[in-house]
Coordinates of all heavy atoms in Angstrom, one line a residue:
I9 N 41.7 -91.5 -32.4 CA 42.1 -90.9 -33.6 C 42.6 -91.9 -34.6 O 42.9 -91.4 -35.8 CB 43.2 -89.8 -33.3 CG1 44.4 -90.4 -32.6 CG2 42.6 -88.6 -32.5 CD1 45.6 -89.5 -32.5
E10 N 42.7 -93.1 -34.3 CA 43.2 -94.1 -35.2 C 42.7 -95.4 -34.7 O 42.7 -95.7 -33.6 CB 44.7 -94.1 -35.2 CG 45.4 -94.9 -36.3 CD 46.9 -94.7 -36.3 OE1 47.4 -93.6 -36.4 OE2 47.6 -95.8 -36.2
L44 N 39.9 -93.2 -21.0 CA 40.5 -94.2 -20.0 C 40.5 -93.6 -18.7 O 41.3 -92.6 -18.4 CB 41.9 -94.6 -20.4 CG 42.1 -95.3 -21.8 CD1 43.6 -95.6 -22.0 CD2 41.3 -96.6 -21.8
V51 N 49.0 -94.3 -13.4 CA 48.9 -93.1 -14.3 C 48.4 -93.6 -15.7 O 48.8 -94.6 -16.2 CB 50.3 -92.6 -14.5 CG1 50.3 -91.5 -15.6 CG2 50.9 -92.1 -13.2
V52 N 47.3 -92.9 -16.1 CA 46.7 -93.3 -17.4 C 47.1 -92.1 -18.4 O 46.7 -91.0 -18.1 CB 45.2 -93.4 -17.4 CG1 44.6 -93.6 -18.7 CG2 44.9 -94.5 -16.4
P53 N 47.8 -92.3 -19.4 CA 48.1 -91.2 -20.4 C 46.8 -90.6 -20.9 O 45.8 -91.3 -21.2 CB 48.9 -91.9 -21.6 CG 49.2 -93.3 -21.0 CD 48.2 -93.6 -19.9
D54 N 46.9 -89.3 -21.1 CA 45.7 -88.6 -21.7 C 45.6 -89.0 -23.2 O 46.6 -89.3 -23.8 CB 46.0 -87.1 -21.6 CG 45.8 -86.5 -20.2 OD1 45.1 -87.2 -19.4 OD2 46.5 -85.5 -19.9
G55 N 44.4 -88.8 -23.7 CA 44.1 -89.1 -25.0 C 44.6 -87.8 -25.8 O 45.1 -86.9 -25.3
P56 N 44.3 -87.8 -27.1 CA 43.5 -88.8 -27.8 C 44.3 -90.2 -28.0 O 45.5 -90.2 -27.7 CB 43.4 -88.2 -29.2 CG 44.4 -87.2 -29.3 CD 44.8 -86.7 -28.0
Y57 N 43.6 -91.2 -28.4 CA 44.1 -92.5 -28.3 C 44.1 -93.2 -29.7 O 43.3 -92.9 -30.6 CB 43.3 -93.4 -27.4 CG 43.3 -93.0 -26.0 CD1 42.2 -92.3 -25.5 CD2 44.5 -93.0 -25.2 CE1 42.2 -91.8 -24.2 CE2 44.4 -92.6 -23.9 CZ 43.3 -91.9 -23.4 OH 43.3 -91.5 -22.1
K58 N 45.0 -94.2 -29.9 CA 45.0 -95.1 -31.0 C 44.6 -96.4 -30.5 O 45.1 -96.9 -29.4 CB 46.4 -95.1 -31.7 CG 46.9 -93.8 -32.1 CD 48.3 -93.9 -32.6 CE 48.8 -92.5 -33.1 NZ 50.2 -92.6 -33.6
M59 N 43.8 -97.2 -31.3 CA 43.3 -98.5 -30.8 C 43.8 -99.5 -31.9 O 43.6 -99.4 -33.0 CB 41.8 -98.5 -30.7 CG 41.3 -100.0 -30.4 SD 39.5 -100.0 -30.4 CE 39.1 -99.0 -28.9
Y60 N 44.3 -100.7 -31.3 CA 44.5 -101.8 -32.1 C 43.7 -103.0 -31.6 O 43.7 -103.3 -30.4 CB 46.0 -102.2 -32.0 CG 46.5 -103.4 -32.8 CD1 46.8 -103.1 -34.1 CD2 46.7 -104.6 -32.3 CE1 47.2 -104.2 -35.0 CE2 47.2 -105.7 -33.0 CZ 47.4 -105.4 -34.4 OH 47.8 -106.5 -35.2
F70 N 41.8 -105.4 -26.8 CA 41.9 -103.9 -27.1 C 43.3 -103.4 -26.7 O 43.6 -103.6 -25.4 CB 40.9 -103.2 -26.3 CG 39.5 -103.4 -26.7 CD1 38.8 -104.6 -26.2 CD2 38.8 -102.5 -27.5 CE1 37.5 -104.8 -26.5 CE2 37.5 -102.8 -27.8 CZ 36.8 -103.9 -27.3
T71 N 44.1 -103.0 -27.5 CA 45.4 -102.4 -27.2 C 45.3 -100.9 -27.5 O 45.1 -100.6 -28.6 CB 46.6 -103.1 -27.9 OG1 46.5 -104.5 -27.8 CG2 47.9 -102.6 -27.4
I72 N 45.5 -100.1 -26.5 CA 45.3 -98.7 -26.6 C 46.7 -98.0 -26.4 O 47.4 -98.2 -25.4 CB 44.3 -98.1 -25.5 CG1 43.0 -99.1 -25.4 CG2 44.0 -96.6 -25.8 CD1 42.3 -99.1 -26.6
F73 N 47.0 -97.1 -27.4 CA 48.2 -96.4 -27.3 C 47.8 -94.9 -27.2 O 46.8 -94.4 -27.7 CB 49.0 -96.5 -28.6 CG 49.4 -97.9 -28.8 CD1 48.6 -98.8 -29.6 CD2 50.6 -98.4 -28.2 CE1 49.1 -100.1 -29.7 CE2 51.0 -99.7 -28.4 CZ 50.2 -100.6 -29.2
S74 N 48.8 -94.1 -26.7 CA 48.7 -92.6 -26.6 C 48.9 -92.1 -28.1 O 49.3 -92.9 -29.0 CB 49.6 -92.0 -25.7 OG 51.0 -92.2 -26.2
E75 N 48.7 -90.9 -28.2 CA 48.9 -90.2 -29.5 C 50.4 -90.4 -30.0 O 50.8 -90.4 -31.1 CB 48.6 -88.8 -29.5 CG 48.5 -88.0 -30.7 CD 47.9 -86.6 -30.6 OE1 47.9 -86.0 -29.5 OE2 47.5 -86.1 -31.6
T76 N 51.3 -90.5 -28.9 CA 52.7 -90.6 -29.2 C 53.2 -92.1 -29.2 O 54.4 -92.3 -29.0 CB 53.6 -89.8 -28.1 OG1 53.1 -90.2 -26.8 CG2 53.3 -88.3 -28.3
D77 N 52.2 -93.0 -29.3 CA 52.5 -94.4 -29.4 C 53.0 -95.1 -28.1 O 53.6 -96.2 -28.2 CB 53.5 -94.7 -30.6 CG 52.8 -94.4 -31.9 OD1 51.6 -94.6 -32.0 OD2 53.5 -94.0 -32.8
D78 N 52.8 -94.5 -27.0 CA 53.1 -95.1 -25.7 C 51.9 -96.0 -25.4 O 50.7 -95.6 -25.5 CB 53.2 -94.1 -24.6 CG 54.5 -93.3 -24.9 OD1 55.5 -93.8 -25.2 OD2 54.4 -91.9 -24.6
L79 N 52.2 -97.2 -24.9 CA 51.1 -98.1 -24.4 C 50.3 -97.5 -23.3 O 50.9 -97.1 -22.3 CB 51.7 -99.5 -24.0 CG 50.6 -100.5 -23.6 CD1 49.7 -100.9 -24.8 CD2 51.3 -101.7 -23.0
A80 N 49.0 -97.3 -23.5 CA 48.2 -96.7 -22.5 C 47.4 -97.7 -21.7 O 47.1 -97.6 -20.5 CB 47.2 -95.7 -23.2
A81 N 46.9 -98.8 -22.4 CA 46.1 -99.9 -21.7 C 46.0 -101.0 -22.7 O 46.1 -100.8 -23.8 CB 44.7 -99.3 -21.3
E82 N 45.7 -102.2 -22.1 CA 45.4 -103.4 -22.8 C 44.3 -104.1 -22.0 O 44.5 -104.3 -20.9 CB 46.6 -104.2 -23.1 CG 46.3 -105.4 -24.0 CD 47.6 -106.1 -24.5 OE1 48.1 -105.5 -25.6 OE2 47.9 -107.1 -24.0

Side-chain angles (χ1 to χ4, degrees):
I9 56 168
E10 189 176 304
L44 299 175
V51 176
V52 178
D54 289 335
Y57 302 105
K58 299 175 181 180
M59 175 187 290
Y60 185 75
F70 291 82
T71 308
I72 313 299
F73 298 95
S74 69
E75 191 172 22
T76 56
D77 293 325
D78 295 317
L79 182 64
E82 186 168 277

